[in-house]
């Protein structure tokens, strides 16, 4: 697939680039995408939910009343889970929700997500650019020029660009991500992916698959 390289003002640069077919033209694997999305979302969970068990409740361990002869159901101390103010039976305890996937599976998920964006004509390539000072207006003007004003956009940079990040963070539908940190959710969540040339080179280097001879 060949796409035109645009300037940051939306004008054509007169150059084009061929997107690697092993990244942008594969048969998407929905199950692998689901596995990777579940992994990423699981890593965001703190796992700090905690309730007090019976042994952690403050109070007497005295049996409230005798076992037999009262006509009431037998009961232990006031910390019993069946009594108000008692411990929680089988309540949540701190745990680690992290899940693991091998590198090949994670890369296949990213390739599948990028293929979906390419199929929807949602991949744009622009020349490398940066901002000397933070300017939300400059980023907004660039997106207007690219016809992406009301679109949820992911701008992928080749390297860390804090000025560009600060310029875009006040735009609710725009996010900036470095190519080396790009993940499946980032791609799927955006309606359009704007790749700097250096970002495309990095993505190709990491995700490209050698074709059999």
């Amino acid at each position: 697939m060949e796409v035109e390289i645009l300037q940051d003002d939306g004008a054509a640069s007169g150059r084009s680039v061929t997107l690697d077919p092993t990244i942008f033209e594969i048969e998407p694997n929905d199950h692998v995408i689901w596995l990777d999305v579940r992994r990423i979302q699981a890593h965001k969970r703190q796992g700090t939910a905690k309730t007090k068990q019976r042994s952690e409740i403050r109070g007497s361990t005295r049996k409230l009343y005798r076992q037999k002869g009262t006509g009431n159901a037998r009961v232990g101390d006031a910390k019993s889970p069946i009594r108000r103010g008692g411990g929680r039976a089988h309540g949540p305890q701190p745990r680690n929700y992290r899940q693991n996937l091998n590198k090949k599976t994670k890369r296949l998920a990213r390739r599948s997500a990028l293929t979906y964006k390419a199929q929807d004509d949602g991949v744009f390539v622009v020349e490398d650019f940066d901002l000397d000072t933070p300017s939300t207006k400059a980023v907004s003007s660039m997106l207007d020029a690219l016809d992406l004003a009301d679109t949820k956009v992911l701008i992928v940079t080749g390297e860390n660009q804090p000025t560009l990040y600060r310029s875009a963070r006040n735009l609710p539908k725009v996010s900036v991500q470095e190519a080396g940190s790009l993940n499946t959710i980032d791609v799927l969540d955006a309606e359009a992916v704007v790749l700097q040339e250096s970002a495309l080179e990095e993505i190709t280097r990491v995700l490209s698959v050698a074709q059999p001879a």
Side-chain angles (χ1 to χ4, degrees):
M1 178 185 297
E2 191 168 329
V3 297
E4 189 174 23
I5 299 176
L6 304 172
Q7 299 176 359
D8 58 359
D9 60 359
S13 67
R15 299 183 295 123
S16 62
V17 63
T18 301
L19 301 180
D20 191 324
T22 65
I23 300 175
F24 296 92
E25 297 181 53
I26 67 169
E27 182 67 32
N29 190 318
D30 292 339
H31 179 66
V32 167
I33 289 178
W34 174 77
L35 288 174
D36 198 33
V37 168
R38 185 181 65 165
R39 175 189 67 86
I40 296 168
Q41 291 178 334
H43 287 190
K44 294 181 179 180
R45 299 185 67 175
Q46 290 183 322
T48 55
K50 172 75 168 68
T51 56
K52 289 186 177 181
Q53 300 183 27
R54 184 172 187 163
S55 62
E56 298 169 313
I57 295 294
R58 182 177 179 181
S60 171
T61 58
R62 179 183 65 85
K63 186 174 173 65
L64 293 180
Y65 48 80
R66 58 194 175 123
Q67 181 87 345
K68 295 181 179 294
T70 65
N72 295 320
R74 56 191 176 183
V75 67
D77 57 42
K79 299 192 290 183
S80 170
I82 65 174
R83 302 189 68 83
R84 183 174 181 178
R88 176 72 179 270
H90 312 297
Q93 297 296 311
R95 55 168 291 190
N96 184 359
Y97 286 95
R98 294 181 70 86
Q99 301 177 14
N100 292 321
L101 283 178
N102 62 55
K103 287 183 180 180
K104 287 185 177 180
T105 303
K106 289 186 283 188
R107 289 172 181 169
L108 176 57
R110 275 177 284 172
R111 290 199 299 269
S112 298
L114 288 167
T115 293
Y116 274 128
K117 292 304 166 187
Q119 290 175 351
D120 294 337
D121 296 325
V123 176
F124 299 83
V125 181
V126 298
E127 294 178 339
D128 287 357
F129 65 92
D130 201 356
L131 302 174
D132 296 328
T133 58
S135 173
T136 300
K137 183 177 181 180
V139 177
S140 182
S141 298
M142 180 193 73
L143 296 178
D144 284 340
L146 294 174
D147 248 355
L148 298 174
D150 296 320
T151 307
K152 198 167 188 180
V153 177
L154 171 65
I155 301 174
V156 186
T157 63
E159 57 185 13
N160 185 28
Q161 295 185 6
T163 306
L164 179 59
Y165 171 80
R166 290 197 296 269
S167 300
R169 64 185 175 183
N170 284 333
L171 298 172
K173 290 188 175 183
V174 180
S175 58
V176 178
Q177 184 64 271
E178 188 179 350
S181 304
L182 189 67
N183 64 49
T184 305
I185 290 183
D186 292 332
V187 177
L188 293 175
D189 194 43
E191 296 175 282
V193 179
V194 177
L195 302 171
Q196 290 186 347
E197 283 188 87
S198 57
L200 179 59
E201 291 172 2
E202 176 64 14
I203 290 172
T204 303
R205 184 187 69 81
V206 173
L207 299 181
S208 179
V209 178
Q211 295 284 1

